[in-house]
Amino acid sequence: MDKKIVIPGDLLSENTKKAGYGTYVKNDKIYSSFCGIENLKEDKVGVIPLAGAYIPSVNDVVIGIVIVVTPSNWIMNIASPYDGLFHVSEYPRRVESREMSEILSVGDSVILRVKDVDSSMKVELALRDSNFHKLKTGQIVEVEPVKVPRVIGHGGSMISMLKKETNCSIFVGQNGRIWIDGKDEDVELLSKALRKIEVEAQRSGLTDRIYNFLKNERIRPKESRPVKFFKSGNKDVKLAKEDHSEEIYRKIDVLLDPNN
């Protein structure tokens, strides 16, 4: 049975102690704030939105792509309306300005943590931990950020199954970017599975459905195709080295302005 779709204003519960994400309380009742999937648990009632942009929150782990290199900062595209600022002081060792592009150049991808988000949505980034997480191999697939919980699954059930059945390495960023790596045919299969998860995210029993899909695809004859590294499975991210518009430089000035 498919999960229930709700719209803003739909009544979800009369127990206000259960109010969770995507809900609001009015007259001692819980209502939906979004158009999405009703998410009922023993102690919480919530709504998983069907669509929406990624909005950064502190401690989120994301996959960023360098779009501009300045003397002291890397400006990162984090698949959000807001770019991220990765300051050179967050790198594990001292870096001279002349080394910036050698360490991370335009188009490079890296796993980062959202260190801070201020009231003006200036997003500061740091490395996920003390190790450097520049992604040198593999492929990045993009899914809608609101579908990330379905890719991970309850208690990590979906992602564990995907790793086992495709023999691939997987890292899921909370901004909807997913890094996958393995043999070409395995990466291609996993990419198809991720697309299917995104399309069928609202359906119940999804982990079993994807498991059966992978099993069936394994026995279906197909032509192997080369994997294009760091191309989004959803859309290509235009990150070629090119002349940047005045708009980009205006955004850099705003990010670097100490008064913001």
Side-chain angles (χ1 to χ4, degrees), residues 26 28 31 36 44 49 72 95 113 134 154 193-194 251-252:
K26 183 177 181 180
D28 296 326
Y31 297 90
K44 287 290 181 183
S72 59
V95 177
R113 176 178 60 84
K134 178 179 176 180
H154 182 65
L194 292 171
K251 291 168 75 175
I252 294 172

Side-chain angles (χ1 to χ4, degrees), residues 41-241:
K41 297 182 179 179
E42 289 185 7
D43 59 340
K44 287 290 181 183
V45 175
V47 178
I48 301 172
L50 290 176
Y54 167 67
I55 305 301
S57 295
V58 175
N59 290 325
D60 281 358
V61 179
V62 301
I63 296 177
I65 300 175
V66 180
I67 56 174
V68 179
V69 181
T70 77
S72 59
N73 298 273
W74 292 279
I75 310 300
M76 313 291 294
N77 176 307
I78 54 172
S80 169
Y82 311 98
D83 293 332
L85 184 68
F86 181 27
H87 193 268
V88 67
S89 63
E90 296 296 337
Y91 191 72
R93 66 171 177 81
R94 180 179 175 82
V95 177
E96 301 294 337
S97 294
R98 65 178 182 276
E99 298 179 281
M100 294 284 291
S101 293
E102 296 175 7
I103 292 172
L104 279 177
S105 62
V106 173
D108 284 346
S109 300
V110 59
I111 296 174
L112 299 160
R113 176 178 60 84
V114 177
K115 180 182 178 182
D116 187 54
V117 182
D118 68 14
S119 58
S120 65
M121 292 307 296
K122 179 187 291 184
V123 183
E124 296 182 20
L125 304 170
L127 289 177
R128 183 187 177 203
D129 52 41
S130 59
N131 297 316
F132 189 39
H133 287 271
K134 178 179 176 180
L135 301 175
K136 298 180 180 179
T137 63
Q139 179 181 356
I140 291 177
V141 175
E142 290 188 7
V143 301
E144 292 182 50
V146 295
K147 306 294 178 63
V148 165
R150 297 295 270 161
V151 174
I152 295 172
H154 182 65
S157 57
M158 179 70 83
I159 194 169
S160 295
M161 184 274 291
L162 291 172
K163 289 178 179 179
K164 180 179 179 181
E165 296 302 322
T166 64
N167 300 310
C168 286
S169 298
I170 309 173
F171 179 86
V172 181
Q174 287 166 275
N175 58 339
R177 285 193 178 131
I178 303 172
W179 171 78
I180 58 179
D181 195 15
K183 294 181 180 179
D184 287 358
E185 60 271 22
D186 293 332
V187 167
E188 182 178 3
L189 178 59
L190 177 54
S191 182
K192 288 181 179 179
L194 292 171
R195 287 283 149 253
K196 189 172 180 66
I197 293 170
E198 184 178 32
V199 171
E200 300 186 11
Q202 76 279 8
R203 306 194 68 171
S204 60
L206 188 58
T207 300
D208 289 338
R209 294 175 64 84
I210 298 301
Y211 174 81
N212 292 329
F213 167 79
L214 292 171
K215 290 296 186 183
N216 291 334
E217 284 293 307
R218 284 291 191 192
I219 61 176
R220 180 179 300 174
K222 57 184 180 295
E223 296 180 1
S224 60
R225 292 178 294 176
V227 174
K228 295 181 179 180
F229 292 125
F230 298 113
K231 293 290 186 180
S232 164
N234 191 29
K235 57 183 178 180
D236 292 347
V237 181
K238 296 180 179 179
L239 295 169
K241 294 183 180 180

